[in-house]
Amino acid sequence: MKAITVVPKQPGTARYEDYPEPDERDGSVLVEAVAVGVCGTDVEIVEGKYGWAPPGKSRLVLGHESLGRVIDPGTAAGLKQGDLVVGIVRRPDPVPCPNCAVGEWDMCQNGQYTERGIKQIDGFMSERWRIEPEYAIKVDSSLGILGVLLEPTTVVTKAWEQVGAIGFGRQSYWEPRKVLVTGAGPIGLLAALKGVQRGLEVHVLDRVESGPKPELVRALGATYHTGSVADIQPAPDVIIECTGVGSGGALGTTADVAAAAVLNNVVVVGSVNANKRHWYKAGLALARADRKWLAGLITRREKPENFKQALEREPDDIKVVIQFSEI
């Protein structure tokens, strides 16, 4: 079979090449790849900034935003040939730390977790892959290729869970009505979708003034903004930062955020990755979403042999996918 691989920490080594068939020790469920989403992490790995190969190997198969079709369900109860599935990305550390021991591997304390396509486990950018039954998530068949959006949806599902846990868990009165999402990339738009599904008044802030992003926000029934956060009045009850800009982003410098938190009795929390319940909840959110709207998030599809073009961002890109087979 063929796969897209890279030598981590060595720029210029990515290639689409012949690669061994997946080993049964990697999981009893055999899957034919349908599509894999491309994100900034993949770009950083290809640029040599990040990533770890599996033990004993020099190359890593890329890709963590998966969608595949079951060829052989193996020992997986509830799966059959032809089912659409995605693969959970993270695996708990082997120690395990207290969080990993109870299934909260997204909160791993010692950093010894592993991740498909990122850290010490081959990813999903191969014509076929295997997965353990407990890490295979069945996708609503009506989603089709849109199931590839499940992994990024898990990230915002966890973020919204954190918002609820902190907001409703504190001892003061809190009844959120208005949310601001900064950044209208795939994560920001999916965060906005979750806000709309929660019945909130949703506002999205981004730099671009035209193209698919403003249209997608308005199609949700949300309000699109450019300019400054300070211009959005009255102030939102929740801000979900999705720009990925390191130097302060839309919210200002670290000192600004800290000062605002102290003076206004607000809470700032970081969120990354997701555990199994977030994958389940994300699947429900996608199943509820308008298919036409979700389809607008996938702005470009590339063949595996053209993976380099998939890694190059174009002005109107939201989510680019590498499509291995027809749905």
Side-chain angles (χ1 to χ4, degrees):
M1 70 170 187
K2 287 189 174 293
I4 300 168
T5 72
V6 66
V7 179
K9 310 291 178 62
Q10 293 187 26
T13 59
R15 63 191 186 211
Y16 183 52
E17 62 176 350
D18 291 327
Y19 202 76
E21 290 286 338
D23 195 300
E24 287 189 25
R25 291 173 295 183
D26 296 332
S28 63
V29 183
L30 179 63
V31 180
E32 174 192 23
V34 172
V36 184
V38 176
C39 85
T41 299
D42 300 308
V43 175
E44 289 180 350
I45 293 173
V46 169
E47 292 175 345
K49 298 176 181 177
Y50 199 67
W52 295 263
K57 295 183 179 181
S58 61
R59 303 191 72 85
L60 170 73
V61 177
L62 282 170
H64 59 278
E65 298 182 6
S66 63
L67 176 67
R69 183 185 298 107
V70 174
I71 298 173
D72 181 356
T75 61
L79 286 181
K80 64 181 185 300
Q81 185 179 9
D83 282 344
L84 293 180
V85 294
V86 299
I88 290 177
V89 178
R90 185 171 286 195
R91 302 291 180 275
D93 74 79
V95 175
C97 75
N99 285 334
C100 287
V102 295
E104 304 282 343
W105 57 68
D106 55 313
M107 296 292 194
C108 182
Q109 294 177 342
N110 62 20
Q112 294 185 46
Y113 59 83
T114 53
E115 292 178 317
R116 298 286 302 250
I118 301 172
K119 186 181 181 185
Q120 299 180 319
I121 317 178
D122 279 337
F124 302 107
M125 285 188 188
S126 57
E127 292 178 315
R128 286 170 292 284
W129 41 271
R130 284 187 175 272
I131 193 162
E132 311 93 317
E134 63 270 29
Y135 293 109
I137 302 294
K138 188 175 178 179
V139 175
D140 188 315
S141 61
S142 69
L143 284 168
I145 197 170
L146 302 175
V148 78
L149 298 170
L150 186 57
E151 192 278 340
T153 308
T154 68
V155 176
V156 299
T157 297
K158 177 188 174 181
W160 272 109
E161 181 183 270
Q162 292 290 303
V163 168
I166 293 169
F168 293 112
R170 63 186 194 173
Q171 295 180 352
S172 61
Y173 171 79
W174 192 64
E175 187 177 344
R177 293 183 175 87
K178 181 177 180 179
V179 59
L180 169 64
V181 177
T182 59
I187 295 292
L189 289 169
L190 289 167
L193 169 67
K194 292 281 291 184
V196 169
Q197 289 182 341
R198 285 169 170 251
L200 297 172
E201 176 189 334
V202 177
H203 297 255
V204 178
L205 174 68
D206 199 278
R207 294 175 179 174
V208 301
E209 297 182 354
S210 60
K213 291 180 178 181
E215 294 173 6
L216 284 164
V217 170
R218 293 171 188 136
L220 270 180
T223 304
Y224 188 84
H225 303 264
T226 58
S228 170
V229 172
D231 295 334
I232 301 172
Q233 296 296 329
D237 303 298
V238 177
I239 299 177
I240 299 184
E241 156 63 20
C242 302
T243 65
V245 177
S247 57
L251 301 182
T253 66
T254 302
D256 292 337
V257 173
V262 171
L263 294 174
N264 296 291
N265 291 306
V266 300
V267 177
V268 179
V269 61
S271 178
V272 67
N273 203 262
N275 64 49
K276 195 165 187 175
R277 71 174 176 276
H278 303 128
W279 289 79
Y280 173 73
K281 292 179 179 179
L284 295 179
L286 287 186
R288 289 173 54 199
D290 179 78
R291 303 297 190 268
K292 183 178 179 181
W293 186 86
L294 288 176
L297 300 185
I298 299 177
T299 47
R300 190 155 50 97
R301 305 184 194 185
E302 297 285 359
K303 296 179 179 179
E305 55 267 33
N306 299 330
F307 75 93
K308 290 185 179 179
Q309 287 94 309
L311 294 167
E312 295 175 358
R313 186 167 182 80
E314 295 182 2
D316 285 338
D317 280 341
I318 297 175
K319 175 56 65 181
V320 178
V321 301
I322 297 174
Q323 187 163 354
F324 281 82
S325 63
E326 294 299 322
I327 193 68

